[in-house]
Amino acid sequence: MGQVFDKFQGKQWRQRQVKKITDKVFDHFKTQTGRANLTFEELYIAILLIYNDINKHLPGPHLDPPSKEEVRAMLEENDINLDGELDRDEFVKFMQKLTTETIALVSQGLIVTLIVAPTVALVTKRATEGVPGFGKVVQSIPNSVYASLVTLAVVLLQNTNSDVN
């Protein structure tokens, strides 16, 4: 699905979206602390906030944020001026690297939820036509409603499975 977005809107679209998010988060911390850089602790809190938003707003499995050790290693990779903190440009590059993998995982979940589930719903509806009693009930449900119900069930199942893990 991420590739679909890239084809229609270009990779620059994703980079602009990440830049909007990072600017908002960076400005929040800058206003709160009065400083122009993010410390490691502030960076980790920012990542937790971003992952919380991703998990709240997108269907599919719950995505775990990187560990503190992973964030510390990425901080060292992206801290160009070696001051132990990230300025705005370093933070944008950091988040673009971090979100590339996350967006791919979210995209896979969206493909299953938005494309595969409705298709499977319509195939199973057709397969139940000859089942006595059950077939007539299923056939009386409009295709759009039936596909929506099955898709909703898939989303709930994905969320339940992620809660178990």
Side-chain angles (χ1 to χ4, degrees), residues 17-84:
Q17 298 307 310
V18 171
K19 178 107 168 77
K20 280 183 193 177
I21 293 168
T22 56
D23 283 345
K24 180 180 171 186
V25 171
F26 192 88
D27 289 340
H28 169 77
F29 281 98
K30 185 177 178 181
T31 301
Q32 197 174 33
T33 64
R35 297 170 354 103
N37 292 337
L38 293 177
T39 64
F40 171 75
E41 292 79 18
E42 293 164 343
L43 175 64
Y44 193 70
I45 291 168
I47 291 169
L48 294 176
L49 292 171
I50 290 170
Y51 270 77
N52 186 44
D53 278 350
I54 290 171
N55 287 323
K56 279 194 303 188
H57 294 97
L58 294 175
H62 173 82
L63 299 170
D64 293 327
S67 68
K68 282 188 172 185
E69 293 78 23
E70 291 170 317
V71 172
R72 193 173 304 280
M74 287 183 71
L75 170 64
E76 291 171 6
E77 289 174 25
N78 290 280
D79 183 16
I80 296 169
N81 59 8
L82 303 175
D83 64 355

Side-chain angles (χ1 to χ4, degrees), residues 147-164:
S148 297
L149 290 172
V150 171
T151 302
L152 179 61
V154 168
V155 170
L156 292 173
L157 183 64
Q158 285 177 336
N159 288 338
T160 302
N161 285 342
S162 67
D163 290 343
V164 171

Side-chain angles (χ1 to χ4, degrees), residues 136-157:
K136 287 184 179 181
V137 173
V138 171
Q139 294 309 313
S140 68
I141 302 171
N143 286 346
S144 58
V145 173
Y146 188 75
S148 297
L149 290 172
V150 171
T151 302
L152 179 61
V154 168
V155 170
L156 292 173
L157 183 64

Side-chain angles (χ1 to χ4, degrees), residues 62-157:
H62 173 82
L63 299 170
D64 293 327
S67 68
K68 282 188 172 185
E69 293 78 23
E70 291 170 317
V71 172
R72 193 173 304 280
M74 287 183 71
L75 170 64
E76 291 171 6
E77 289 174 25
N78 290 280
D79 183 16
I80 296 169
N81 59 8
L82 303 175
D83 64 355
E85 301 178 343
L86 294 184
D87 63 26
R88 183 180 299 271
D89 291 336
E90 292 169 335
F91 182 60
V92 169
K93 289 176 185 166
F94 177 93
M95 290 309 298
Q96 285 175 341
K97 286 180 184 177
L98 183 65
T99 58
T100 299
E101 183 178 315
T102 302
I103 289 173
L105 289 171
V106 169
S107 296
Q108 291 171 0
L110 287 173
I111 288 171
V112 169
T113 303
L114 301 176
I115 297 172
V116 176
T119 305
V120 170
L122 295 176
V123 169
T124 57
K125 183 176 181 188
R126 185 156 290 157
T128 62
E129 287 176 354
V131 177
F134 185 71
K136 287 184 179 181
V137 173
V138 171
Q139 294 309 313
S140 68
I141 302 171
N143 286 346
S144 58
V145 173
Y146 188 75
S148 297
L149 290 172
V150 171
T151 302
L152 179 61
V154 168
V155 170
L156 292 173
L157 183 64

